[in-house]
Amino acid sequence: MNATRPNIVMLVADDHESRAMGWRGHAAVQTPHLDRLAHQGTAFTRAYHAGGCDDAVCIPTRASLLTGMDCHHALQGGRDVINPDRITLPQHFRHCGYHAYVSGKWHNDLASLTRSFDDGAAVFAGGMNDHYATPIRPFDPRGEFPENEVTTCERFATDHFCDTAAEFIRTYDRQEPFFLYTAFTAPHDPRTPPAEHADGYNSEDIPLPANFQPEHPFDLGVRDIRDEMLTSYPRTTERIREEIAAYYGMITAMDTGIGQIVNALKQSGLLENTIILYTGDHGLAVGQHGLLGKQNLYEHSSRVPLILYGPGIPKNRISSALVYSWDTFPTLCELCQVSIPADLDAHSLAPVISGTADNFRERIFCQYQQTQRMLSETRWKLILTSWRGQSHVQLFDLEQDPDELQNLASHPDCRQHVERLTNQLASSPAGLPYHFTHD
């Protein structure tokens, strides 16, 4: 095999709240394998997605992740259609001499899947499903993907995806380096972890998040979305503890599968020449601010996990730089000495990883449909919401209030921050929706 360029293993979670890992100081959740990758690599605590115009937030965020573009450039021609004029990350590495392989979830169009990979197995073309009856299909290089080839995975889907990825690693015998893309359906609901992981969490012992609320203080326009209807209103402490316990079980089950993939690399003698990227499509509320889902712009939902491990990546480095998950496209290119497409919206994280740059982006923009907009600097964060004629302005001091409990928008000393961030938001990629009004 080619020893000059590292292999890539790209792991993408579904609904993983960025703080729900042991290395983040979260003692209640067990993630030993992700903790090890973070301690032996470089991890980012303020990585964000940029949202999109779909209540299934993962569709635009995955398109951005795969193209290095904001959602308005990443999608074109349909709800889930990756712009055919955009080269995807694995497709680009294919063109640069890598063998690209896929297993797991693909929540965008099948045409983009076909052009992105050489091969694959156990592909779930969809958003969510019963984790013990997930429809999977073989990779079809012709792009036809006939329905008669779809089978039902009758075991926990995460285990099957990870076993498929590990088997690919163990049997890989080609000369070119590989790009392995494995995307999980965990820890997305239904939160039904295998018993060995569910039994590790007693809901009565689960601490509630500091920003738990029985209901959100005003109508975000998401109350009747499926994610938010998984429990009744108002949220009770007992029910939220049960949801969190099951959620942690799903995370630990995924972490165990990731450990199997890493072990396959080690046993095959490939670990030292492989870059491992772990990230997610978005976060999740699970009781925070009275919410359950990701259709909001609080930190628990707009931040994503982001860990990089491998050759050329410093160990035990934690960065609080403001970054997007899709900045990983040019980052992987630079780390692997692969050309970077000239017109990406993303920027390489290599200067942050190497320690030559601390200030990466000055601000982060995120949106949810045409009703919510967010802009965050290192300290100050603005959220504007407009729904059914009601507008709300929220300003948070993330240094003093990381759980976003105290809205400072009406504080006279903070008026300048509201005005500055609003003006910056108006010049963001999507601008302000036409129906936003506020004093």
Side-chain angles (χ1 to χ4, degrees):
M1 277 178 278
N2 188 327
T4 60
R5 284 183 174 176
N7 304 301
I8 296 173
V9 174
M10 184 172 181
L11 307 172
V12 182
D14 195 345
D15 281 13
H16 191 180
E17 207 267 330
S18 68
R19 293 177 294 187
M21 289 177 281
W23 72 269
R24 290 295 311 270
H26 200 305
V29 63
Q30 302 159 29
T31 55
H33 301 289
L34 287 172
D35 297 347
R36 191 171 298 114
L37 289 175
H39 292 313
Q40 296 179 357
T42 295
F44 293 83
T45 60
R46 296 197 66 182
Y48 295 81
H49 67 77
C53 298
D54 200 305
D55 59 350
V57 181
C58 59
I59 293 176
T61 57
R62 287 167 187 265
S64 291
L65 181 65
L66 287 160
T67 60
M69 307 296 290
D70 71 61
C71 67
H72 305 284
H73 295 128
L75 291 169
Q76 182 175 314
R79 180 190 185 198
D80 63 353
V81 178
I82 293 179
N83 187 341
D85 293 331
R86 300 303 320 172
I87 192 166
T88 69
L89 175 57
Q91 182 185 13
H92 182 62
F93 272 78
R94 283 184 69 192
H95 292 176
C96 294
Y98 277 69
H99 181 78
Y101 186 93
V102 60
S103 68
K105 174 175 174 173
W106 188 265
H107 204 184
N108 293 99
D109 62 302
L110 292 177
S112 63
L113 172 71
T114 304
R115 61 187 170 92
S116 294
F117 299 98
D118 297 288
D119 198 3
V123 176
F124 168 52
M128 60 170 289
N129 206 83
D130 181 340
H131 292 283
Y132 299 90
T134 301
I136 56 174
R137 63 184 73 210
F139 180 79
D140 184 356
R142 303 165 300 172
E144 297 178 2
F145 295 99
E147 290 301 313
N148 62 7
E149 292 185 354
V150 176
T151 59
T152 299
C153 178
E154 297 180 351
R155 55 191 298 234
F156 188 59
T158 298
D159 290 345
H160 190 67
F161 298 150
C162 291
D163 287 348
T164 301
E167 181 65 14
F168 166 78
I169 292 168
R170 285 191 292 264
T171 60
Y172 190 73
D173 60 358
R174 303 176 67 95
Q175 291 299 309
E176 62 265 45
F178 61 75
F179 187 112
L180 169 61
Y181 178 91
T182 298
F184 310 109
T185 49
H188 196 294
D189 69 275
R191 293 185 262 274
T192 53
E196 63 268 28
H197 302 297
D199 292 346
Y201 298 97
N202 184 340
S203 63
E204 295 179 357
D205 299 329
I206 296 294
L208 287 172
N211 50 10
F212 165 78
Q213 293 174 303
E215 296 196 46
H216 193 266
F218 59 86
D219 189 358
L220 282 173
V222 301
R223 187 180 178 90
D224 297 328
I225 285 179
R226 188 204 65 83
D227 299 50
E228 296 299 336
M229 297 177 70
L230 294 175
T231 71
S232 60
Y233 298 95
R235 320 301 193 188
T236 66
T237 57
E238 294 79 9
R239 188 69 185 89
I240 292 302
R241 283 192 172 97
E242 291 172 355
E243 287 291 321
I244 294 174
Y247 181 61
Y248 290 170
M250 295 291 289
I251 292 172
T252 299
M254 178 182 63
D255 181 83
T256 301
I258 290 171
Q260 294 172 352
I261 294 173
V262 174
N263 191 50
L265 289 167
K266 181 181 290 187
Q267 292 177 345
S268 301
L270 300 174
L271 184 60
E272 297 307 312
N273 195 42
T274 298
I275 292 173
I276 300 175
L277 163 64
Y278 176 75
T279 190
D281 47 7
H282 43 68
L284 202 67
V286 202
Q288 300 179 78
H289 293 103
L291 304 168
L292 289 177
K294 58 268 189 180
Q295 292 85 3
N296 64 85
L297 301 181
Y298 292 110
E299 295 291 281
H300 49 66
S301 298
S302 57
R303 288 194 199 186
V304 299
L306 180 55
I307 301 171
L308 281 157
Y309 163 94
I313 300 171
K315 297 181 184 296
N316 203 27
R317 173 168 290 171
I318 297 177
S319 172
S320 60
L322 299 176
V323 306
Y324 288 115
S325 58
W326 31 280
D327 285 326
T328 52
F329 190 139
T331 304
L332 290 176
C333 291
E334 189 163 351
L335 291 173
C336 296
Q337 298 182 349
V338 164
S339 63
I340 300 175
D343 57 347
L344 298 182
D345 293 329
H347 302 298
S348 173
L349 300 174
V352 181
I353 292 172
S354 65
T356 60
D358 292 326
N359 296 323
F360 186 66
R361 293 181 183 272
E362 294 184 358
R363 60 191 65 90
I364 288 289
F365 164 80
C366 192
Q367 71 175 100
Y368 174 70
Q369 294 202 357
Q370 292 301 317
T371 59
Q372 300 175 45
R373 293 289 187 275
M374 177 272 274
L375 191 137
S376 182
E377 299 173 330
T378 299
R379 178 176 180 179
W380 297 100
K381 174 178 176 178
L382 178 76
I383 303 177
L384 301 182
T385 303
S386 181
W387 175 247
R388 292 182 175 174
Q390 297 294 315
S391 296
H392 299 271
V393 182
Q394 293 173 286
L395 179 74
F396 299 106
D397 180 348
L398 295 180
E399 287 185 3
Q400 301 298 319
D401 180 26
D403 292 309
E404 298 168 290
L405 289 169
Q406 186 176 7
N407 181 9
L408 300 175
S410 61
H411 195 290
D413 293 341
C414 296
R415 185 66 182 180
Q416 59 179 317
H417 301 303
V418 173
E419 293 177 354
R420 185 186 72 259
L421 293 173
T422 300
N423 290 335
Q424 293 172 354
L425 187 57
S427 61
S428 67
L432 290 169
Y434 72 92
H435 53 272
F436 266 121
T437 59
H438 52 84
D439 295 328

